[in-house]
Structure formats: C-alpha cells, structure tokens
Amino acid sequence: KAGVTQTPRYLIKTRGQQVTLSCSPISGHRSVSWYQQTPGQGLQFLFEYFSETQRNKGNFPGRFSGRQFSNSRSEMNVSTLELGDSALYLCASSLALGSGRQETQYFGPGTRLLVL
Amino acid sequence: AQTVTQSQPEMSVQEAETVTLSCTYDTSENNYYLFWYKQPPSRQMILVIRQEAYKQQNATENRFSVNFQKAAKSFSLKISDSQLGDTAMYFCAFLTGNQFYFGTGTSLTVIP
C-alpha cells in the first residue's frame, strides 16, 4: 500500500499570501489529522477530519482551515500568512480514529512552509 | 486537559548500549492508547510501538519495549542494543477519543 502523501513538499510564500496544502491518506483510511511542527513547540494539533466532517480542532486562529473530500483526501488552507506560520505541516491518516478498531496514525513526509 | 510530558530534551547513548526515554501523561480518561513515534533527520514520522491502556502487559517490538505504569501515568521507552539508525527525535503520544496529544520530543543521538 502506498503511504500518506503530501504535496507540495516545500513552499515559500510572503506575508499576507494564502497557501493550500494537500494530503492523500493511505487507501481505505478515513481519518486525517493535521499538525504544525516547529522546533520550539513540537507537534501542535490543527484539526481532524473523518468522512468529510471536522471532528476536532486545535487552538489555532480562524486563518487555518481545512476540508476533506469524499475520497478522504484532505486540504489545509492558511490565509493571510504570518512569519510565525513558517513550520513543517504534517498530515497523518488512520483507518478510523475513535472507533476502537485501528488506532494508529501514519504520517506523511510533511510540507515545509517558509513565510518571508 | 490531556498533557504529555517528555522531560529529557536531549539524550545520547553509545552504540550497542541500552537507553530509556521517559514520558508521563495526565488524563482523567480510562480508555486510551499510548504511542512512541520516531522522526529521523529525514523527517518522516514512524510508529515505533503502541500500548493499549487496558492491557497490563508491556508492549515489545524487537529491540524496543515500554514500561507502562498506569497508576503513575508513566510510559517509558527502552531501546536495547542501540544502533546508529536509532538516532532521531522520539515523540511520546497519547490518544483518547479521536485526538492525539504529543510530547515535545526527546532528541536521541547514538554515538559510534
């Protein structure tokens, strides 16, 4: 099975711009979570989607949004970029978080975003 | 609130030796899962080992084993016969419901 894929792998943007990141989960996985990783903060949870519904959202401003499509692919959007948004954005998929059946997340390689 | 604490930001170990990474967590939940993830310098996060809270037996995966103390809310990772490829950032994670909580990580360096 192919792993979790994320595109693009690297992005350079300027302040005020917006960006969209994409994540394709492992085939058959319906849950997709997004994390922001920075050296000082570790992994910060952004949101989790299951069957096109956002079930959980972390403590991030409304500039961060996401969605999930019927094929479980997910996108994350950040509007009005700020310097502090520079980070590695990780996507993780699982069969069905919270179902008690398969509770392991598998991570993609991440998208490295640099805001200038 | 759920929290995960890794009190060792950096550790090093000689090749072939054993090292233990510590992790504590705080939760009022009774049903949860615990994980250790490894993130090598290439940045791909990889699952190392997982533990169901309802299981008393400590999980083991080859050279990796955990010491799960539910009452103490402690979940340490022991790496035996350390190899150079074990050099990575290690994250302890806690899952309850459908949300993961991660510690800030321990950077482990295996010295040849």
Side-chain angles (χ1 to χ4, degrees):
Chain A
K1 261 186 186 177
V4 179
T5 58
Q6 292 186 246
T7 56
R9 294 293 309 277
Y10 303 93
L11 264 180
I12 299 176
K13 293 286 188 178
T14 56
R15 280 184 303 173
Q17 287 187 310
Q18 77 165 19
V19 66
T20 299
L21 312 182
S22 181
C23 171
S24 293
I26 292 171
S27 177
H29 284 195
R30 297 166 64 190
S31 173
V32 174
S33 299
W34 287 90
Y35 299 87
Q36 181 193 67
Q37 185 179 17
T38 56
Q41 299 288 325
L43 272 79
Q44 301 293 312
F45 172 73
L46 281 155
F47 24 67
E48 188 253 352
Y49 286 88
F50 179 79
S51 293
E52 302 179 67
T53 300
Q54 186 184 88
R55 296 195 296 185
N56 279 316
K57 190 178 194 308
N59 189 26
F60 278 81
R63 300 186 296 107
F64 292 81
S65 63
R67 59 178 175 169
Q68 186 180 35
F69 302 94
S70 58
N71 61 359
S72 293
R73 189 177 69 85
S74 177
E75 286 184 347
M76 191 193 99
N77 185 76
V78 188
S79 62
T80 319
L81 284 165
E82 300 177 359
L83 296 179
D85 296 333
S86 294
L88 180 69
Y89 289 87
L90 293 170
C91 165
S93 79
S94 67
L95 193 62
L97 272 187
S99 68
R101 289 182 290 139
Q102 174 54 276
E103 305 291 358
T104 299
Q105 278 191 335
Y106 298 88
F107 283 83
T111 294
R112 170 74 63 187
L113 173 64
L114 177 61
V115 182
L116 302 175
Chain B
Q2 334 286 353
T3 59
V4 179
T5 302
Q6 293 180 250
S7 59
Q8 306 150 312
E10 295 181 0
M11 295 188 71
S12 62
V13 62
Q14 290 290 139
E15 194 175 5
E17 297 292 309
T18 295
V19 64
T20 298
L21 282 58
S22 65
C23 172
T24 59
Y25 58 94
D26 188 21
T27 183
S28 57
E29 301 290 334
N30 198 42
N31 296 319
Y32 52 87
Y33 298 80
L34 294 159
F35 302 80
W36 278 97
Y37 280 91
K38 166 186 175 181
Q39 190 178 39
S42 65
R43 293 288 187 177
Q44 184 90 36
M45 193 87 75
I46 305 165
L47 175 69
V48 175
I49 199 165
R50 65 193 289 263
Q51 172 84 42
E52 293 87 347
Y54 61 85
K55 288 187 178 179
Q56 292 185 332
Q57 186 175 5
N58 289 325
T60 299
E61 287 288 341
N62 301 314
R63 298 182 295 108
F64 299 88
S65 61
V66 298
N67 183 4
F68 175 45
Q69 302 289 330
K70 189 172 183 179
K73 296 180 182 175
S74 171
F75 183 63
S76 61
L77 174 70
K78 186 172 82 171
I79 305 174
S80 304
D81 185 26
S82 295
Q83 300 176 359
L84 296 179
D86 295 333
T87 292
M89 183 73 82
Y90 287 81
F91 291 95
C92 177
F94 165 92
L95 168 67
T96 183
N98 51 26
Q99 184 168 338
F100 271 80
Y101 300 86
F102 283 83
T104 51
T106 295
S107 177
L108 177 67
T109 301
V110 179
I111 303 168

